[in-house]
Amino acid sequence: MNYDRILIRYGEISTKGRNRNKFVEKLRKSVRSALAPFPKIKVEASRDRMYVLLNGENGIEIIGKLKNIFGIQSFSPAIKVDRDVEVLKQTSLELVHSLYREGQTFKITPKRSDKTFELNTDGINQTIGGHLLKNIPGLKVDVRNPDINLRIEVRKEAIYLSCETIQGAGGLPIGSSGKAMLMLSGGIDSPVAGYLAMKRGLEIEAVHFFSPPFTSERSKEKVIDLSKKLAEIYGAITLHIVPFTDIQQAIREQIPENYSMTTTRRMMLRITDEIRKNHEGLAIVTGESLGQVASQTIESMFAINEVTNTPVLRPLITMDKTDIIKIAQEIDTLEISNRPFEDCCTIFVPSSPKTKPKREKVQHYESFFDFEPMLHEAVQETETIVIKPDNEKDSDFNVLF
C-alpha cells in the first residue's frame, strides 16, 4: 500500500496554552530542516496535528528521520480519503489486505473528531469491520492484542487511515527553549548532555578547547565527528574551537598543581561565557555528573561556578556512568568518544587534584597573574565552523563564518 502522508502527533506541545502555536512552528521548522534532502515533501501544521505530504518521496527514509526529531510523540504513515462511506470501505480493505498475513487478527480504532459525519464510532466499527471480515478470508477480530490495528480518524476536512504507530523522540522542539553553549570535550558525557539539552528544546552551539601540539588534529576530528552526530538531530550545529594552549601553559606555571584543574575549569567557563554573550546564548550546558571525577564534586562546582552568573545546566548531574553510556550507545557517539585521542582536559591532569578546593584559595592563586588578556585573545582567535551530518548533501564543515 502506498501511503501518501505521515501524520505527526504532538507530545508535550499539547499541554501548552496560548503559546502552543510558537512551539508548533518550531517543530515545523525542525521537520523541514531534517527532511531537507527530500525536496518534494510538504509540511502542513495545525494546532492539533502535523502532516508530511510525501509527494512520491521515499517514505521509509523519511520515517527514519522523523524518529530523531524532538517534539514528536508519535507518528503514523497514513492515507487521506474523502468523507464518503463507500470510499472509506474500499480504502480500508485495500490497506488491511496489503498488510494481512494468514491467521492474523485485527481491530478498528475509530476517532470521530467531526460529529457531523454520518457514522458514529460504533457505526464505523460495524460497517468497516463487517466489510473487512466479508472480503478477507481467515481474518478474525481481537480487540485486546490485534496484529493489525486500523485507526480511522474522521476530521472536518477528510478521513485519515493508518495501521502503524511509531514512537517519536518526545521532548520539545529544538529552539523552543532558547539557545545555550555546550562545553563539548571528546569524552562520553558531554555529547550526551548536549543531546538531552536539545531534547528539552535548547538550540545548542558547541564550544571545544583545543591545545596543539599537546592535543592532535585527530582529537579535533573526533569532536567534529561528535558534532556531526548531534547535527543529525537538527540538520546542522555550530562549533566554536578555542585555542587554549597558552592559557593551559600559564596555568601550569602559575597555579599550584593541585589547584590547576580548578583554575582550568574556571578559565574554560569564563571563555565559554564570553562566546555565549557574543552569540546571544542564555545558558551553558556541561557534561558534569556529581562526584564522577575530582572537578565534579560539589565543592569543585562551587569554586568553579563563581566566575559566572549565567545559568549552568547539567543534564547528567544525578546520572550513573552506566546510564550515560547507554544513552551514548543509543545516539551512536560512544565509539567516537572512545577513540584514543586525548583532549585538553586530560593532558595536564595533576597527580593529586583537589577534590574539595577552597574558593578563597583559588582566587588567591589566580590573583598573582593577569589572565584577562589571554582570555580575550582566545575568544578573538576562536574558529567558528558549521557542522552538518555526513549524510547531508553538500556537507562541508570547513566553511568558516
Side-chain angles (χ1 to χ4, degrees), residues 49-277:
R49 288 284 190 273
M50 187 175 294
Y51 298 95
V52 177
L53 309 184
L54 299 180
N55 293 324
E57 293 282 10
N58 190 317
I60 295 175
E61 291 184 10
I62 288 173
I63 286 171
K65 294 280 189 180
L66 292 176
K67 287 180 179 179
N68 297 322
I69 299 175
F70 296 129
I72 296 177
Q73 183 67 28
S74 65
F75 58 94
S76 299
I79 301 170
K80 178 182 178 181
V81 299
D82 294 334
R83 291 161 45 94
D84 179 89
V85 174
E86 291 303 316
V87 173
L88 176 59
K89 287 167 63 176
Q90 183 60 31
T91 308
S92 297
L93 177 60
E94 292 174 1
L95 177 55
V96 174
H97 194 274
S98 70
L99 299 171
Y100 175 69
R101 300 293 179 270
E102 186 176 351
Q104 286 188 326
T105 59
F106 86 106
K107 81 168 184 176
I108 296 173
T109 304
K111 183 177 180 181
R112 186 165 161 259
S113 301
D114 180 15
K115 306 304 182 186
T116 65
F117 186 62
E118 59 188 281
L119 298 177
N120 60 18
T121 53
D122 287 339
I124 293 172
N125 262 322
Q126 294 170 9
T127 301
I128 305 304
H131 187 66
L132 296 178
L133 290 169
K134 180 180 178 181
N135 289 279
I136 303 179
L139 182 65
K140 295 181 179 180
V141 176
D142 183 347
V143 296
R144 295 185 179 274
N145 189 30
D147 297 303
I148 301 171
N149 184 3
L150 175 61
R151 291 176 172 82
I152 301 175
E153 183 172 354
V154 179
R155 298 182 69 84
K156 188 174 183 179
E157 74 280 2
I159 299 175
Y160 298 93
L161 307 178
S162 63
C163 282
E164 183 179 10
T165 298
I166 302 167
Q167 286 303 118
L172 294 172
I174 291 176
S176 60
S177 297
K179 183 194 288 188
M181 300 293 133
L182 169 67
M183 296 178 70
L184 182 63
S185 70
I188 295 172
D189 299 341
S190 55
V192 175
Y195 170 82
L196 294 178
M198 294 167 78
K199 187 171 184 177
R200 295 310 304 161
L202 282 172
E203 176 188 349
I204 291 297
E205 292 190 9
V207 179
H208 177 67
F209 294 86
F210 185 49
S211 297
F214 303 107
T215 53
S216 68
E217 285 293 324
R218 301 295 295 274
S219 71
K220 182 177 177 180
E221 291 173 9
K222 180 179 175 180
V223 170
I224 289 174
D225 287 344
L226 289 171
S227 298
K228 287 180 183 178
K229 288 297 179 182
L230 295 178
E232 289 177 4
I233 300 169
Y234 191 60
I237 190 169
T238 299
L239 173 63
H240 306 281
I241 300 178
V242 181
F244 201 57
T245 307
D246 292 344
I247 296 173
Q248 277 201 285
Q249 287 180 318
I251 292 170
R252 191 179 188 186
E253 294 169 1
Q254 301 295 330
I255 306 297
E257 184 184 29
N258 59 350
Y259 267 86
S260 62
M261 181 179 59
T262 305
T263 293
T264 297
R265 297 295 192 274
R266 284 162 62 94
M267 298 304 154
M268 287 178 168
L269 195 55
R270 288 176 64 180
I271 291 171
T272 303
D273 205 23
E274 286 301 313
I275 295 173
R276 174 200 64 79
K277 293 175 186 175

Side-chain angles (χ1 to χ4, degrees), residues 259 261-263 265-267 269-270 288 294-295 297-308 314 354-363 366:
Y259 267 86
M261 181 179 59
T262 305
T263 293
R265 297 295 192 274
R266 284 162 62 94
M267 298 304 154
L269 195 55
R270 288 176 64 180
E288 293 165 308
S295 66
T297 64
I298 197 70
E299 292 85 358
S300 286
M301 292 181 193
F302 181 73
I304 294 166
N305 254 59
E306 182 201 18
V307 300
T308 180
R314 299 177 171 93
K354 274 286 183 182
T355 58
K356 297 182 179 181
K358 301 295 183 184
R359 183 182 279 184
E360 298 77 14
K361 281 194 174 182
V362 72
Q363 290 171 345
E366 291 176 6

